Amino acid sequence: MTKVSIVILNWNGCEMLRSFLPSVIRHSQGDGIEICVADNGSTDHSVDILRREFPSVRLLLFEQNNGFADGYNLALQQVEATYVVLLNSDVEVTPHWLNPLISYLDTHPEVAACQPKIRSWHNQTVFEHAGAAGGFIDRYGYPFCRGRLMEVVEEDGGQYDTICPVFWATGAALFIRLEDYRKVGGLDGRFFAHMEEIDLCWRLRARGRSIVCIPQSVVYHVGGATLKKENPRKTFLNFRNNLVMLYKNLPSDELRSVMRVRCVLDYVAMLVFLLKMQAPNAKAVLEARREYAVIRSSFTAVREDNLKKTVVRIIPERIKSSILWQFYVKRRKHFSQLLNFNE
């Protein structure tokens, strides 16, 4: 049986494949390791390039763009391995990057998933926004990382080089037991893209499985290769999916109070976008809230199932306070300054 299957999801990313796939091939050699590219219905020359320039890579072909979530769900139906790596196409890996991840999960059966340390490809001395040295979440659903609070990204000086339990591992380089992935239902395809890995990790943590960051493994991530940060579509998906994630996973005694506060915070976010002359993003937040109200009931059965299977109600890596309060009022700009998460 295959030990590790590295699965890269591609959609019209032929230049990314040419730039970054060689490092994956070069630094991921070994018995029981396979590299797959799942093509999400590309209309560029991606498939031709893969067949001609990367014949050692296993190719999985889909007829249409299924999004990040269902793209990986479909790909992992065709994979049989102990561990799988969901690896973005814009990630450059480093020598022996897999070894610490494999070794740790081999000796820690309670851990379902992990991630390497993620540095920025553009500036390789600093952490990358989407993952850094492991993800956490606050009471109201705002994600943050060791090495990144809000928009402040720290320089990596080794300050987060300890292996650490986290709430979520980034979908840019998610190393996970295939058995655990399937047992909790994989990524939620209705998210399409954004927040789906946090939702997956929340289900894992609630069911008693652990997630860690292993900074002895390092990769470099471009980030924003598909949708730029200021893209209204990305804003819409982030806000809508975050609300859905909260509804799916929050304990019953928190749901109403958290959602009330989130409503206020979302309208504040709209106002901030307007003040920044970003009307399309403000509109995207409003549309996200409207769509959430429409589709919420379709997630009720999943919510009930999640609550039924919860064995860890209070997850330590989900802080009780607000990261917005910590950042903007307490003026704590670095993760290391959050000495008491829950004050």
Side-chain angles (χ1 to χ4, degrees):
M1 183 177 178
T2 303
K3 180 79 169 183
V4 180
S5 184
I6 302 164
V7 184
I8 299 169
L9 191 65
N10 174 70
W11 181 69
N12 291 342
C14 57
E15 294 308 314
M16 286 292 175
L17 292 172
R18 277 180 163 156
S19 297
F20 296 104
L21 188 51
S23 79
V24 180
I25 295 172
R26 184 166 59 252
H27 298 312
S28 308
Q29 300 293 321
D31 293 337
I33 298 173
E34 70 168 357
I35 301 168
C36 306
V37 173
D39 188 79
N40 235 349
S42 291
T43 55
D44 64 0
H45 300 294
S46 293
V47 174
D48 290 338
I49 288 170
L50 286 163
R51 285 173 170 159
R52 184 173 64 251
E53 300 180 19
F54 304 104
S56 65
V57 171
R58 181 183 170 196
L59 189 55
L60 309 175
L61 298 178
F62 307 137
E63 293 183 356
Q64 63 184 18
N65 183 3
N66 301 285
F68 183 93
D70 264 347
Y72 270 116
N73 287 338
L74 290 169
L76 268 54
Q77 288 176 10
Q78 302 182 45
V79 166
E80 291 299 332
T82 304
Y83 307 123
V84 292
V85 188
L86 281 59
L87 188 69
N88 277 14
S89 61
D90 60 344
V91 170
E92 179 181 324
V93 305
T94 59
H96 314 296
W97 71 290
L98 285 174
N99 294 352
L101 309 176
I102 296 171
S103 177
Y104 194 88
L105 262 67
D106 276 351
T107 54
H108 293 79
E110 75 283 2
V111 176
C114 62
Q115 68 159 75
K117 178 163 65 176
I118 316 286
R119 288 192 193 139
S120 169
W121 184 81
H122 295 288
N123 182 356
Q124 299 192 355
T125 65
V126 304
F127 291 105
E128 205 277 318
H129 185 277
F136 294 76
I137 197 170
D138 81 347
R139 175 176 171 80
Y140 303 107
Y142 291 90
F144 60 98
C145 304
R146 285 200 305 175
R148 191 270 298 173
L149 300 187
M150 307 307 291
E151 302 307 317
V152 175
V153 181
E154 298 179 45
E155 186 165 352
D156 179 16
Q159 67 270 42
Y160 304 122
D161 275 357
T162 55
I163 295 174
C164 174
V166 296
F167 187 92
W168 56 275
T170 176
L174 174 60
F175 189 99
I176 186 168
R177 297 180 195 271
L178 184 56
E179 180 181 9
D180 278 301
Y181 184 94
R182 289 174 172 169
K183 192 170 184 179
V184 298
L187 298 168
D188 191 326
R190 291 173 290 183
F191 281 39
F192 190 77
H194 300 294
M195 296 285 167
E196 63 280 280
E197 78 268 42
I198 305 179
D199 172 67
L200 170 66
C201 290
W202 197 333
R203 280 178 274 140
L204 286 166
R205 289 294 290 116
R207 297 176 196 192
R209 304 293 286 148
S210 296
I211 301 162
V212 300
C213 175
I214 302 176
Q216 288 68 37
S217 173
V218 179
V219 302
Y220 299 97
H221 184 212
V222 173
T226 303
L227 288 177
K228 301 301 181 185
K229 178 184 157 201
E230 65 277 6
N231 187 294
R233 175 64 174 167
K234 184 170 186 175
T235 300
F236 169 81
L237 289 170
N238 271 321
F239 275 81
R240 184 201 66 178
N241 292 349
N242 191 272
L243 291 169
V244 171
M245 176 183 71
L246 289 170
Y247 178 70
K248 286 177 60 180
N249 297 287
L250 276 173
S252 296
D253 60 349
E254 289 190 65
L255 181 63
R256 184 171 296 181
S257 61
V258 167
M259 286 308 203
R260 272 203 210 101
V261 174
R262 265 305 298 267
C263 183
V264 173
L265 293 174
D266 286 353
Y267 281 105
V268 170
M270 287 175 55
L271 178 61
V272 171
F273 279 130
L274 289 172
L275 292 173
K276 291 181 177 179
M277 307 299 289
Q278 297 179 16
N281 279 313
K283 183 181 178 182
V285 177
L286 181 61
E287 291 175 345
R289 290 205 59 87
R290 286 174 174 170
E291 180 156 328
Y292 164 70
V294 171
I295 66 176
R296 178 179 55 205
S297 61
S298 67
F299 290 90
T300 300
V302 174
R303 169 177 168 76
E304 291 173 353
D305 185 61
N306 286 343
L307 295 181
K308 180 181 177 181
K309 294 176 179 175
T310 293
V311 297
V312 179
R313 186 187 169 281
I314 299 175
I315 300 171
E317 300 83 24
R318 177 181 169 241
I319 69 171
K320 294 179 182 178
S321 64
S322 164
I323 196 63
L324 300 178
W325 176 266
Q326 296 280 352
F327 187 86
Y328 291 110
V329 179
K330 293 289 190 178
R331 311 297 294 175
R332 291 167 179 168
K333 307 298 185 181
H334 293 174
F335 182 91
S336 58
Q337 295 172 322
L338 303 178
L339 299 178
N340 184 353
F341 275 168
N342 298 317
E343 65 180 52

